[in-house]
Amino acid sequence: MAILVSFVRRGALTLAAAFLLCSTVLPLRAQTVPLTQTVPLMLGAFPPEDVVPLAEGGTERALADLPAAIDSVLKRSGLPGAAIAVVQGDKTVFARGFGVRELGKPALIDTDTVFQLASLSKPIAATVVATQVTAGVVRWDDKVARLMPGFALNDAYVSANVTVGDLFSHRSGLPHAAGDTLEDIGFDRAAILERLRLLPLAPFRISYAYSNFGLTTGAEAVARASGQSWEDLSQKALYGPLGMTSTSSRYQDLLKHENRAVLHSLEDGRFTPLYTRDPDPQSPAGGVSSSVTDMAKWMKLVLANGRHDGRELIAPAALLPALRAQAFSSPAPTIGARSSFYGFGFNVSVDADGRPNLSHSGAFGTGAGTFVRFLPSADIAIVVLTNGAPVGAAEAIASHFMDIVQYGAPTRDWYALFHPRLMEYNDPAGDLVGKTAPAAPAAARPLADYVGTYENAYFGPARITQDQGGLVLALGPGTLSMKLTHWDADSFAVAPRSENAPYGSLSSVRFVVKAGKAVELKIDYLDTEGLATWTR
């Protein structure tokens, strides 16, 4: 987002970038400090005359105002609940839960309630990588092909040269949300990363597209260099040393917590607890679960430039590249507008008072909305975790708070600004949304003519079977199946419901018939990259 946030179109909703457009990016080596160079890397180390002074008493006023601000946004949004923490320096100065873990049940949210973080996992993943840069296991500019033999994308030069940093800043050329629909239909991480090579690429390092599985590829390469799984590495290198006892990069660990928030999707304008979301395939990009108590420990680490309990957990030179601009995430549309930037797993921007800030949103369309924001020059950060699909509430609460810290009062109604933009990410998918079936459709062929298995290199087989209710479409390696409803002639309709197909999605499934036999089918809602055609 041009103001603070990088939003993602589903996936980890994919929350991928409200307002993140293709843009020009600077090469990696032009943006990073050589790790052998000794330089002062103090967060907020810029001349004081370059920024507007903070409002006198602004932090105290913001903290006093925060409970009422949270209550207001939760009431306006209808969200079931939230947990919020604020840290200043090495102290947690605010931590509180609001509302319920699940609508219709009495259990309240508290500061130890564990939430799914969705894309808020990305800046955490960047700090995990920074621990390995500190340890000399990898560098941000290490080539992925060296760390992960057999890795390939759809271009030999890119395959040989793309780096960990390229993938953590979304400038590899992979398309937006690359691989997300493969996760929706049940493929695991290994299968998805292998199939990324089939996707068309935008220009390398001079384009930007938010990609959960691009970043996951970079993280997987680092994990392999460390000789352990990403999940184990995250625990050993970050969660354990920080004492983040409720935090994990494994979905099964979340399920062990009785005190956990339930996801609430937005169905016909109401939050409803209908779905679960196992994000293990994209764990580095969207699979962390945590509490605000634990997140406060991580925020203190970032504000302290990698120090924890008086010792250096992450070297400043390893952390700073993640915290400064590496890619244009949203270039200014006019000469009077501001651009937004992405670091390695962090959104990076400069506020109107000249103060740099770091942020990231996270969301699952199936029911989570999260946000973190750092203001390093004020040594303060806030995290907001909610248990409902993205509606702009988390971003509004944090932005309202930071306004008061900096300016002494809110500068605008942040919820009114964020809400309509975030609601776009709950829009249904498919070419038949909002359309009415033909009143007098052309007849279909005998249903048995469509039955069979159709092949696709990217999505895998599509299996059409017939039962008493008609045709059924099955996709992926698991149990995903959807009923087909006749629409017109050789076209049918399917109503998917997944992370990338919100409530109300409706898509065509069109068969091509030759010599009296169906030989091909195309599924519109999966055809973003032009790959959703199956051949019998």
Side-chain angles (χ1 to χ4, degrees), residues 9-10 427-435 494 496 500-502 504-508 523-526:
R9 170 76 170 160
R10 306 162 190 146
D427 288 348
D431 57 329
L432 300 183
V433 172
K435 295 183 179 180
V494 66
N500 293 281
S505 295
L506 191 65
S507 168
S508 66
I523 305 175
D524 177 82
Y525 87 98
L526 296 174

Side-chain angles (χ1 to χ4, degrees), residues 183-310:
E183 183 186 19
D184 283 352
I185 64 177
F187 286 99
D188 63 16
R189 185 185 307 170
I192 295 169
L193 299 192
E194 195 279 332
R195 292 174 190 223
L196 294 180
R197 70 186 67 198
L198 300 175
L199 292 169
L201 297 178
F204 183 39
R205 291 184 183 155
I206 57 169
S207 59
Y208 175 96
Y210 189 99
S211 169
N212 290 305
F213 285 98
L215 186 143
T216 296
T217 300
E220 182 71 15
V222 172
R224 294 192 189 185
S226 78
Q228 54 196 316
S229 71
W230 175 260
E231 293 76 9
D232 286 345
L233 173 62
S234 299
Q235 174 61 39
K236 293 176 182 177
L238 188 69
Y239 310 152
L242 287 183
M244 298 173 71
T245 56
S246 296
T247 303
S248 177
S249 291
R250 287 187 175 90
Y251 180 66
Q252 287 302 315
D253 289 342
L254 166 71
L255 299 182
K256 296 174 184 176
H257 293 280
E258 180 183 353
N259 185 4
R260 68 177 186 270
V262 172
L263 301 180
H264 293 76
S265 63
L266 197 59
E267 309 278 323
D268 200 23
R270 297 174 62 88
F271 286 106
T272 308
L274 292 178
Y275 303 101
T276 59
R277 173 79 166 92
D278 178 353
D280 278 355
Q282 58 163 274
S283 177
V288 179
S289 56
S290 188
S291 66
V292 293
T293 296
D294 277 8
M295 290 296 289
K297 298 173 183 178
W298 171 74
M299 291 190 295
K300 292 171 189 175
L301 175 76
V302 175
L303 287 175
N305 212 12
R307 296 187 67 82
H308 171 67
D309 280 350

Side-chain angles (χ1 to χ4, degrees), residues 384-450:
V384 183
L385 308 180
T386 79
N387 57 349
V391 294
E395 294 81 5
I397 290 167
S399 300
H400 178 96
F401 174 81
M402 285 297 191
D403 261 7
I404 300 176
V405 169
Q406 293 177 90
Y407 313 118
T411 61
R412 67 196 71 193
D413 182 344
W414 286 102
Y415 184 72
L417 176 71
F418 281 113
H419 179 64
R421 289 159 172 79
L422 269 293
M423 286 300 291
E424 295 174 5
Y425 298 97
N426 296 293
D427 288 348
D431 57 329
L432 300 183
V433 172
K435 295 183 179 180
T436 303
R445 305 183 62 80
L447 295 186
D449 290 356
Y450 304 106

Side-chain angles (χ1 to χ4, degrees), residues 130-216:
T131 68
Q132 300 308 288
V133 175
T134 299
V137 175
V138 297
R139 300 179 304 169
W140 284 109
D141 57 0
D142 272 346
K143 294 176 180 178
V144 172
R146 182 182 71 81
L147 304 177
M148 197 159 65
F151 163 79
L153 296 178
N154 198 2
D155 180 276
Y157 178 83
V158 176
S159 299
N161 289 281
V162 69
T163 66
V164 172
D166 290 326
L167 291 165
F168 265 77
S169 56
H170 306 297
R171 63 188 188 197
S172 67
L174 282 167
H176 167 68
D180 285 358
T181 50
L182 293 179
E183 183 186 19
D184 283 352
I185 64 177
F187 286 99
D188 63 16
R189 185 185 307 170
I192 295 169
L193 299 192
E194 195 279 332
R195 292 174 190 223
L196 294 180
R197 70 186 67 198
L198 300 175
L199 292 169
L201 297 178
F204 183 39
R205 291 184 183 155
I206 57 169
S207 59
Y208 175 96
Y210 189 99
S211 169
N212 290 305
F213 285 98
L215 186 143
T216 296

